[in-house]
Amino acid sequence: MPNAPQTDEGWYVLHDFRSIDWDAWRDAPERERQLAVDEGVTYLEDHEAVADADEGASAVFSVLGHKADLLVVHFRPTLDALSTAERRFEQTALAAVTEQPTSYVSVTEVSGYVSDDWFEGNKDDIDTGLRRYIEGKLKPDIPDDEYVSFYPMSKRRGEQDNWYDLSFEERAELMSGHGEVGKEYAGKIKQVIASSVGFDDHEWGVTLFSDDPAHIKDIVYEMRFDEASSRYGEFGDFYVGRRFPPSDLGAYLDG
Amino acid sequence: MPNAPQTDEGWYVLHDFRSIDWDAWRDAPERERQLAVDEGVTYLEDHEAVADADEGASAVFSVLGHKADLLVVHFRPTLDALSTAERRFEQTALAAVTEQPTSYVSVTEVSGYVSDDWFEGNKDDIDTGLRRYIEGKLKPDIPDDEYVSFYPMSKRRGEQDNWYDLSFEERAELMSGHGEVGKEYAGKIKQVIASSVGFDDHEWGVTLFSDDPAHIKDIVYEMRFDEASSRYGEFGDFYVGRRFPPSDLGAYLDG
Amino acid sequence: MPNAPQTDEGWYVLHDFRSIDWDAWRDAPERERQLAVDEGVTYLEDHEAVADADEGASAVFSVLGHKADLLVVHFRPTLDALSTAERRFEQTALAAVTEQPTSYVSVTEVSGYVSDDWFEGNKDDIDTGLRRYIEGKLKPDIPDDEYVSFYPMSKRRGEQDNWYDLSFEERAELMSGHGEVGKEYAGKIKQVIASSVGFDDHEWGVTLFSDDPAHIKDIVYEMRFDEASSRYGEFGDFYVGRRFPPSDLGAYLDG
Amino acid sequence: MPNAPQTDEGWYVLHDFRSIDWDAWRDAPERERQLAVDEGVTYLEDHEAVADADEGASAVFSVLGHKADLLVVHFRPTLDALSTAERRFEQTALAAVTEQPTSYVSVTEVSGYVSDDWFEGNKDDIDTGLRRYIEGKLKPDIPDDEYVSFYPMSKRRGEQDNWYDLSFEERAELMSGHGEVGKEYAGKIKQVIASSVGFDDHEWGVTLFSDDPAHIKDIVYEMRFDEASSRYGEFGDFYVGRRFPPSDLGAYLDG
Amino acid sequence: MPNAPQTDEGWYVLHDFRSIDWDAWRDAPERERQLAVDEGVTYLEDHEAVADADEGASAVFSVLGHKADLLVVHFRPTLDALSTAERRFEQTALAAVTEQPTSYVSVTEVSGYVSDDWFEGNKDDIDTGLRRYIEGKLKPDIPDDEYVSFYPMSKRRGEQDNWYDLSFEERAELMSGHGEVGKEYAGKIKQVIASSVGFDDHEWGVTLFSDDPAHIKDIVYEMRFDEASSRYGEFGDFYVGRRFPPSDLGAYLDG
């Protein structure tokens, strides 16, 4: 049996997608609309300030197209905190004009493909740069005012191309080549990789941030030619949007 | 024709997933909310106490994400008792604020892959340790206050990788290797395997319990590299949540 | 081109699945509930008595899980009689508290795989035992008080495993092996096979009856190792339930 | 690159499926029901009389099972006339008690597989019999009082069995064998083949008519053994029903 | 790792599909219908005039069948402008009688397959004809009064036929052959290709325009025999319709 890579986990993640019920929004009296905006802004600001937990991060994004209108991303130290955040939203007047068409549950992860040192040595001896790099992956910041792309993915278990049949060394080499493409986009793209094995329908959730949506297209397209993706990647639905400050919620809803 | 393994069945199982209709919940007057909580708690407590049958077990779990909010699991000696439990729920005031987005029907099972002795000898001569192990699989306890992961699965019948074309010996060896991975998680993970062949859309339902969701991710990920999964496993949707005592239902609904 | 087997058709079949709209049921005043039960019982009793046609059979089953609550099966000499039975249901007060989530249309069939004699000789010269066997397949009885499993299936047309590319002799041999497994379950399982080629989304609908649901699991599981299934069977969704007398409808709805 | 066959197009086709909203029908006052029937009959009679275009044909069919209750088929010289027919239906009181669960858009077609002469010579020199045959395919009659089966299909582009990789000659030979099966059903089955390439989700829509539904089953089953289907056919959902005169609409709705 | 082609991006594109809620339309009082038409016409005219941005293009199309009734296409320099256009629609009275069943997000693109010169030289030295050709692809006009076909597509990553495993030269040659077919339809078909990699569920969205829907069928069918499609194309759903001037919206809704 091929070896699974070692992994360390950081924050749990909920991608909570919401659709505006525009009929309800249009029909609501001004007072209800204002309440929806007020409670929505308070909810989002409290969660961005992580008022509900010791640490974590949250952000709200607009989403294009029919699949959703809003994406609220929560990073928290426990699944329980995510469950609370999801249910608290339902207690707001904003929830009355939204539905939850989809969502994704995962946990940030670093693996032995990324760094042998992290797993093999004494973690106190680890180089500061590497430590910060790893901690940035386990407890990521969410950049302001940037475009976002989210998609779930799995590794193929085809009858010929079967990722889980490859040796650790083969997989590590493929992941390393994959990482090389990522490095070309340093400064242009920030990515968060989180495992959903045992939690949700694909194996990972990928969240990309950039100040230019064309960079998002370019990195995903270029990586598609990389063997780790071309032969072994299987992708779910893609969502694209842009972060906005909670205080802009009213303007967003007013078109 | 390759031999099917011998099997023994224990309790029938219903995984009854429920979504809260949050709009109905928010709009309900306080009196109706209280009634929903009271009747919900009574239903759940009566079923956890197995007041409706000679033996069995039930539990309620919160579920993360859009696919469901609650999971009620019932183990009972007959399909009829499951049918009654499912319909009784609909008679409660809690049902008025829930929908049933999905469910799963199965029966706990031990097979000849697990133990030759159980099937081949006189069951009265069976070693006490083995007997308890087998009975624990057929009539499982549900651990308190732990995280749960549920997913249905089937064995692949691909044009090259076809589980049902393998000889009994090949399958037994693959299952044995699979079991070895499981043993590494003894004390961390409790699993219930139940057959849904002829009853539901996949061939088995797998329910994992642990006090740390990272253990759930780790065992599913590690097993994915095992040939029984990597070449022969096909997985349905995954659900993750946490058990709570029925008396916490009101707090759950209030966010 | 490989030869298609000869076939004879018997009764047309409608598997009419219904979900209870439990919110409507709970909210209905007692008078309306009573009317729903009364008209439902009358509809079911009239159809079980085949008051609407020269011959046929009907029965009602409870169904477990979210996919349906009731299954009404109708066998009739014509598609027209099935269409009438389906629409008559909609005229009852019971229909007001149900929806129709799915259904299946087929026709009972015997084929040249089962019996050369039936197709090759003069049917008047056929042995009485065989005649009864064939007629039991074309015009089946529905056993009282038994568990039911229904699933649609097709034969695979894969790029390597292609049923329709096999010669008649190869297919007949595979079907014969498949029949051998069936014979082991004589007295435990009664099965009805009906073709839906040109009528519905799979090629056949299979209905199994037994007084023990474990027999249903066992026969489907054992047959899955048979080459006719392991290499050539493709299965749709599975439904499991239990027959009840129409007079129990009120008790069923009351939980 | 293999040659595409030459094609000629005839009438555009809309298969407009409708489900009865039985709850709305039952709840409607008698006056509204009568209006729904009256306006429905007028709509159907006007369209069967092709009062809206220079030429064409329309018909209404009952449909079995949950996928639809009615199928209205329109053949018209332009897509615009189909669009108008579809929207005119929505202006009737019948539309208030129906929904449109599915539909299919296509155009009747003859291809170079069917007749070289038609495409290669001067069309004025064409034999009258062939001309009538071709024109019957491009501008088909809809037979009275017959059963109908509709299904969409595509040609497989598999990694081994790839229709579009075959030479014209190979495809022509396969289509010719396919046609031979069809000829055995002359007088029993009338078929309309219409291309939906670029218009709808499969490549063709097939509509079969017969006075005996068993003939429909038989031809589809027999053709499935023909290589053009067994290796290269991919089928969508199947719908089965029966034509009725518009004046029977009220009786249909009354069960 | 095979090289990804160089790409340049032009306008972002939203295909915004809308279904008419015909029940709401029929039930609306005349005053509300008129308001829906007035605000709908104003919205469409303002967007066709690109009153909301420096540059771009918009158009409205009728759509046949159940998948949608209207398609509003917006080309704009930024994703933000598309997001605003999508939300502005929801502020109109027309939105009250529509739903949004689907949509597609992409960006117009030219790639190194199409023109080496564009990417390799100094863009100021580029031949005027080529420059206009490229700019027509990046900032396309929408032809008046023509039929439209839209479909999303991806390149296959099969275990044998894997586009992303081919060398740049192989892909360029296949794309060139594909382009040859396109040239045969010069003057008959105008096509817009836009990348949705990282933005939506397929890799490209294709929009075809023609004054004859048979040309649309012909080009898609003929291209299907081209190796770039036959072995490497994977297609999503197809939508067909026709452009109309915003002032015809009322006539459209009145059937």
Side-chain angles (χ1 to χ4, degrees), chain A residues 22-23 25-27 33 62-69 147-151 156-162 177 181 212-214 216-218 220-227 229-242 251-255, chain E residues 1-5 7-9 12 14 21 78-80 82-84 86-93 95-105 107 109 111 113 154 157-160 162-166 171 195-204:
Chain A
W22 291 108
D23 288 345
W25 174 251
R26 271 187 311 268
D27 292 349
R33 286 191 185 210
S62 63
V63 178
L64 269 118
H66 72 292
K67 288 183 287 188
D69 293 303
Y147 296 94
V148 67
S149 170
F150 172 76
Y151 56 94
R156 183 176 287 178
R157 294 184 296 112
E159 295 185 303
Q160 270 129 60
D161 292 337
N162 190 327
V181 179
D212 183 345
I216 291 173
K217 180 193 70 112
D218 287 341
V220 179
Y221 191 39
E222 189 168 344
M223 282 197 170
R224 201 146 288 190
F225 291 91
D226 178 68
E227 196 176 341
S229 288
S230 67
R231 294 185 56 198
Y232 299 108
E234 296 196 334
F235 302 96
D237 289 349
F238 285 76
Y239 300 83
V240 69
R242 187 171 190 177
Y252 176 84
L253 288 165
D254 285 330
Chain E
M1 174 181 153
N3 286 331
T7 55
D8 265 7
E9 295 78 35
Y12 289 85
L14 176 66
D21 177 346
T78 64
L79 273 184
D80 309 78
L82 295 181
S83 176
T84 303
E86 188 186 11
R87 281 177 289 122
R88 286 269 158 87
F89 184 90
E90 296 296 355
Q91 312 300 328
T92 69
V97 294
T98 70
E99 282 153 22
Q100 187 187 33
T102 188
S103 66
Y104 208 75
V105 178
V107 62
E109 186 186 69
S111 78
Y113 300 137
S154 298
R157 294 183 297 113
E159 295 186 303
Q160 270 129 61
N162 190 326
W163 177 261
Y164 292 96
D165 246 11
L166 301 178
R171 282 177 277 122
S195 172
S196 46
V197 173
F199 301 158
D200 218 321
D201 304 345
H202 281 73
E203 295 170 350
W204 287 276

Side-chain angles (χ1 to χ4, degrees), chain E residues 121-142:
Chain E
N122 180 332
K123 284 189 187 177
D124 294 335
D125 300 338
I126 295 287
D127 169 84
T128 313
L130 176 61
R131 178 187 307 281
R132 277 198 195 139
Y133 173 79
I134 298 282
E135 288 181 352
K137 292 200 162 298
L138 296 180
K139 301 182 176 184
D141 291 325
I142 307 175

Side-chain angles (χ1 to χ4, degrees), chain A residues 25-231:
Chain A
W25 174 251
R26 271 187 311 268
D27 292 349
E30 178 54 29
R31 205 178 49 87
E32 277 180 36
R33 286 191 185 210
Q34 191 56 51
L35 191 67
V37 171
D38 289 348
E39 292 190 18
V41 169
T42 301
Y43 173 89
L44 294 168
E45 287 181 343
D46 283 357
H47 283 77
E48 292 206 3
V50 194
D52 61 338
D54 287 345
E55 53 177 359
S58 291
V60 61
F61 303 82
S62 63
V63 178
L64 269 118
H66 72 292
K67 288 183 287 188
D69 293 303
L70 297 174
L71 162 61
V72 188
V73 177
H74 300 290
F75 293 90
R76 290 293 183 281
T78 64
L79 273 184
D80 308 79
L82 295 181
S83 176
T84 303
E86 188 185 12
R87 280 176 290 123
R88 285 268 159 87
F89 184 89
E90 296 295 353
Q91 311 300 328
T92 69
L94 179 60
V97 294
T98 69
E99 282 153 24
Q100 187 187 33
T102 188
S103 65
Y104 209 74
V105 178
S106 56
V107 62
T108 60
E109 186 186 69
V110 291
S111 78
Y113 300 136
V114 173
S115 166
D116 291 344
D117 295 351
W118 181 258
F119 290 99
E120 280 163 20
N122 180 333
K123 286 192 186 174
D124 294 334
D125 299 338
I126 295 287
D127 168 85
T128 313
L130 175 60
R131 178 188 307 282
R132 277 200 193 138
Y133 173 78
I134 297 283
E135 288 182 351
K137 292 199 162 296
L138 296 180
K139 301 180 176 186
D141 292 326
I142 306 175
D144 288 343
D145 190 32
E146 289 207 349
Y147 296 94
V148 67
S149 170
F150 172 76
Y151 56 94
M153 59 156 295
S154 298
K155 287 300 188 189
R156 183 176 287 178
R157 294 184 296 112
E159 295 185 303
Q160 270 129 60
D161 292 337
N162 190 327
W163 177 260
Y164 292 95
D165 245 11
L166 301 178
S167 69
F168 181 84
E169 289 67 30
E170 288 170 300
R171 282 177 276 123
E173 192 178 321
L174 286 166
M175 289 306 286
S176 163
H178 206 60
E180 291 305 310
V181 179
K183 281 176 195 162
E184 295 168 30
Y185 287 85
K188 291 182 181 171
I189 290 282
K190 177 177 162 64
Q191 67 174 11
V192 177
I193 309 292
S195 172
S196 46
V197 173
F199 301 158
D200 217 321
D201 304 345
H202 281 73
E203 295 170 351
W204 287 276
V206 179
T207 313
L208 304 178
F209 302 99
S210 180
D211 61 5
D212 183 345
H215 295 330
I216 291 173
K217 180 193 70 112
D218 287 341
I219 191 174
V220 179
Y221 191 39
E222 189 168 344
M223 282 197 170
R224 201 146 288 190
F225 291 91
D226 178 68
E227 196 176 341
S229 288
S230 67
R231 294 185 56 198

Side-chain angles (χ1 to χ4, degrees), chain C residues 48 63 77 82 150:
Chain C
E48 293 206 3
V63 177
L82 295 181
F150 172 76

Side-chain angles (χ1 to χ4, degrees), chain C residues 8-28:
Chain C
D8 264 8
E9 296 79 34
W11 288 338
Y12 289 85
V13 197
L14 178 66
H15 287 76
D16 190 347
F17 290 90
R18 300 279 164 168
S19 292
I20 306 297
D21 177 347
W22 291 107
D23 288 345
W25 174 251
R26 271 187 312 267
D27 292 350

